[in-house]
Amino acid sequence: KNLWFIYAGLNVLCTLSFWAAGMNFFDAISHSFATIALGGFSTHDASIGYFNSSTIELVAGFFSLVAAVNFALFFLAWRSRSLMAIFRDAEFQFCMAVMGGLIAATCGYLYIKQKFPAWESVYHGFFQAASIITDNGLVTVGYPADWPTEVPLLLLLGSFFGGCIGSTCGGIKAMRFLLLFKQSVREIRLLIRPNAQIAVKVGDRPISDRVMQAIWGFYFLYVLSYCLFSVALATTGVDLVTAFGSAAGCLNNMGVGLGETAVGFGPLNDTATWLLSASMIVGRLEVFPLLLLFHRDFWK
């Protein structure tokens, strides 16, 4: 019940912020539902770009990042009456560090390539990077078709990152990437000291080998699913940029493709549409629950 209150409260704050930024009330409440849920659906074909407002883009980018935080942390912050419960969390710190780096790279690249003036590069880059990395999928003016190719590619890769576990985002999630990074560091240290006993820890809590095995298994299956869906899409007749971009957009539940699907998925044929529908289900259920249905031990 408390999580419902938190979720509803964030929607109210987001609605009021959009309304104050210049949206009418209908658009404000519609986009707040899309933003907090990281669903990306807009009431306009041009998405957030329709409003041509820096304030609206900053609000949308900020609440995209808020929605990428583990909602259990909001509960802990509410109970303790302190935001330190959020800021001390190792996954939150790692997530914001990665997102901050990707947002800064996006803003800087837009300015260096002279796509936008300085201030426009900041607010367009902040909003678009936050929206794509968290798999929100709201877009601004000209994205991705008219932006420098490197930026959509960077953000497409960032969409696999997602946000924190326990948030509304898609993707692989920050905690899994954090543990994979720590495990990689551990393997390097074990090459230097093969007999050392080195635990993978998050904060002061050691992570069991069973959990690490599950994360490696999930990572492998997620990447394998992406490759299979991409290749399957390519066999339907679309080009490779469209195939790999569309598969990433749907598997990560981000909803923004590349190539032919840069401005929508309408150009795809029926077979490709069915494949992408399946990829959305696989990504949203995080692979394992669906694979259970096809394993004979599950039915015994």
Side-chain angles (χ1 to χ4, degrees):
K1 185 171 68 174
N2 287 326
L3 287 176
W4 272 105
F5 282 133
I6 292 169
Y7 189 84
L10 290 175
N11 271 281
V12 169
L13 287 174
C14 189
T15 298
L16 294 176
S17 298
F18 276 134
W19 195 18
M23 286 186 182
N24 62 49
F25 188 72
F26 175 76
D27 280 339
I29 194 170
S30 298
H31 284 87
S32 74
F33 288 153
T35 301
I36 299 301
L38 295 177
F41 187 82
S42 176
T43 52
H44 302 279
D45 289 343
S47 192
I48 291 294
Y50 169 86
F51 301 99
N52 194 25
S53 167
S54 60
T55 307
I56 288 175
E57 291 192 26
L58 290 172
V59 169
F62 172 76
F63 279 100
S64 294
L65 296 179
V66 168
V69 177
N70 187 337
F71 275 64
L73 294 179
F74 291 130
F75 173 72
L76 293 175
W78 187 7
R79 288 288 298 271
S80 65
R81 300 294 187 271
S82 172
L83 292 176
M84 292 308 297
I86 298 175
F87 295 138
R88 283 196 298 260
D89 182 73
E91 183 189 20
F92 173 83
Q93 294 172 357
F94 176 72
C95 182
M96 291 300 116
V98 171
M99 288 184 177
L102 291 173
I103 289 170
T106 301
C107 296
Y109 199 83
L110 289 175
Y111 179 69
I112 291 171
K113 287 294 184 178
Q114 299 181 342
K115 172 62 180 176
F116 300 110
W119 171 234
E120 290 186 33
S121 296
V122 170
Y123 72 79
H124 283 316
F126 169 73
F127 159 70
Q128 198 58 74
S131 178
I132 298 299
I133 297 166
T134 62
D135 299 310
N136 189 353
L138 294 170
V139 296
T140 186
V141 178
Y143 184 87
D146 298 331
W147 282 32
T149 306
E150 296 84 353
V151 174
L153 178 60
L154 173 66
L155 297 185
L156 187 76
L157 294 174
S159 71
F160 284 89
F161 183 77
C164 298
I165 287 176
S167 70
T168 57
C169 68
I172 294 175
K173 307 291 192 306
M175 178 60 82
R176 294 190 179 103
F177 276 109
L178 175 60
L179 290 175
L180 289 174
F181 171 74
K182 288 180 174 288
Q183 174 67 14
S184 299
V185 173
R186 176 196 187 192
E187 292 301 322
I188 293 172
R189 295 177 66 190
L190 285 174
L191 287 173
I192 300 171
R193 297 181 178 85
N195 296 321
Q197 298 298 315
I198 303 171
V200 174
K201 293 184 178 181
V202 175
D204 296 326
R205 182 165 58 92
I207 305 299
S208 69
D209 288 339
R210 176 67 188 90
V211 171
M212 293 306 307
Q213 290 168 6
I215 291 173
W216 276 114
F218 172 82
Y219 182 77
F220 167 76
L221 290 173
Y222 200 93
V223 173
L224 178 64
S225 298
Y226 174 59
C227 294
L228 291 176
F229 278 117
S230 298
V231 172
L233 281 172
T235 63
T236 67
V238 302
D239 60 90
L240 290 179
V241 172
T242 301
F244 281 88
S246 301
C250 291
L251 185 66
N252 296 330
N253 295 120
M254 178 254 295
V256 180
L258 290 177
E260 293 179 25
T261 58
V263 293
F265 291 79
L268 298 179
N269 57 48
D270 291 346
T271 304
T273 302
W274 278 109
L275 285 170
L276 291 177
S277 298
S279 72
M280 285 189 279
I281 296 173
V282 171
R284 187 72 275 179
L285 296 181
E286 297 192 334
V287 187
F288 279 120
L290 278 178
L291 290 182
L292 283 176
L293 298 177
F294 298 96
H295 200 288
R296 61 182 181 181
D297 289 348
F298 177 77
W299 298 101
K300 289 182 179 180

